[in-house]
Structures are given as structure tokens and as C-alpha cells.
Amino acid sequence: MKNLFTLFVFPVFLFCNFLQVKDLNGNESAGNHISQPVKDQIVYLFFKVEKNSSGMEKVVLEDKKIMEGMLKSKPSFDRNSAKVGDFMISLNDSNGKEVVQQILRDPLNPELERFAEEGISRDKVSLQNAEFSIRYSHSEDIKVVKVEKITNTGSQLLFTQKL
């Protein structure tokens, strides 16, 4: 009786095991047709700006990194708050339409705080070169980055590159 029970139970377990493996393989092939949801990503662009002897700025894109995550808030863009010397960064689609715009305070003339006996004061420092970065939520639409400097007469294009 014991041998008969073992002879009967062993094939049942073996049959059930093959059914589970077949079911797993079936689910994998069905899963190939369903697209995975896109994870939120943040793109970081790292730039370097240098002022040459004639006073013209040269901007170079040094690095681009994409990390998983989500921006807590989107930077607000207010063109009226921009001052002369500030950089305006535009992220455009392939047709040239602006998707995202950001303003960066003048990186070559940052305002630093100084603490002295009289109290806290702010001083502008003039630099020959500086590094800056921007970040934005990843989008397949964004294809081009432009960096413009705001001047008294409007804006001056410093940098354009396809991403």
C-alpha cells in the first residue's frame, strides 16, 4: 500500500510542477507585449563657462547624467525677473518649440555673503570661469539645449547643442 501511494503521489507532483513551469513561461511571453511603465527620471546637464580676453563668454556642455527620480517642484520662469548678465536656458523639441525654460543668475558674477563685525553683507565677485548645472524632468520631446545671456539690447546666444 505504501509503495502504491508513493507511485501515485510522485507522478501527481511531477505533473503539477510541469504545469507551473508552463504557466510561468506563458506569462513571460504575454508580458513582452505589455509595455513597462516609464519610470520618472531627472536629467542633469553640467556646463562650464569661461570669459576670454575680449570679454566674450564661451559655454561648454561638460556632462549629462540621467538619474531615477522626480522633481518635487518645477522651476518657475519669469522673464521679467531676469537681470542683465543672467543666463536663460531653453530646452526645445526638434521643431524648435520651447518645452522648458530656466533662468540662472549670472554665474560669472555671483553674489556672496560675507559676515563681519558690522553684520552680514553681500559682495559681487567677478570670475573668469565658472561651472553651473541645470536639471529637468526627462522628456522624449527635449532634443536641443540653448543658453542665452541677457544683455541691455536683448539676448545673446552663447550655446546650442543637440541632446
Side-chain angles (χ1 to χ4, degrees), residues 30-38:
N32 290 338
H33 298 292
I34 299 172
S35 64
Q36 294 290 334
V38 177

Side-chain angles (χ1 to χ4, degrees), residues 7-156:
L7 213 57
F8 175 70
V9 170
F10 181 70
V12 169
F13 281 126
L14 192 62
F15 179 71
C16 290
N17 192 23
F18 282 126
L19 283 178
Q20 289 176 352
V21 170
K22 182 181 177 187
D23 188 40
L24 286 175
N25 290 338
N27 283 343
E28 283 181 16
S29 64
N32 290 338
H33 298 292
I34 299 172
S35 64
Q36 294 290 334
V38 177
K39 293 182 180 178
D40 291 328
Q41 295 179 324
I42 301 172
V43 179
Y44 294 88
L45 299 177
F46 298 93
F47 295 92
K48 184 173 185 174
V49 60
E50 293 181 6
K51 190 184 294 186
N52 61 18
S53 59
S54 64
M56 297 296 296
E57 291 90 1
K58 178 183 175 187
V59 177
V60 177
L61 177 63
E62 289 192 318
D63 197 11
K64 173 184 174 181
K65 292 187 180 186
I66 300 176
M67 307 291 283
E68 286 188 22
M70 187 173 75
L71 292 177
K72 291 180 183 176
S73 63
K74 293 182 181 180
S76 62
F77 177 77
D78 182 14
R79 182 144 175 97
N80 296 330
S81 70
K83 299 174 185 168
V84 173
D86 292 347
F87 287 6
M88 185 171 54
I89 294 106
S90 302
L91 302 165
N92 303 339
D93 63 9
S94 57
N95 296 327
K97 181 182 174 192
E98 292 175 347
V99 179
V100 177
Q101 281 190 321
Q102 295 181 20
I103 292 181
L104 177 73
R105 299 290 169 217
D106 190 353
L108 291 172
N109 297 300
E111 193 171 279
L112 302 177
E113 290 182 350
R114 185 179 68 166
F115 182 75
E117 290 181 18
E118 308 87 48
I120 296 176
S121 63
R122 294 181 182 264
D123 298 325
K124 278 204 172 200
V125 179
S126 182
L127 304 173
Q128 291 299 319
N129 56 38
E131 295 179 350
F132 64 93
S133 64
I134 63 163
R135 63 184 183 171
Y136 61 93
S137 295
H138 176 69
S139 172
E140 292 295 326
D141 295 337
I142 296 175
K143 302 291 183 193
V144 177
V145 61
K146 286 185 353 182
V147 178
E148 298 174 279
K149 180 180 178 181
I150 298 182
T151 63
N152 290 328
T153 59
S155 62
Q156 173 188 8

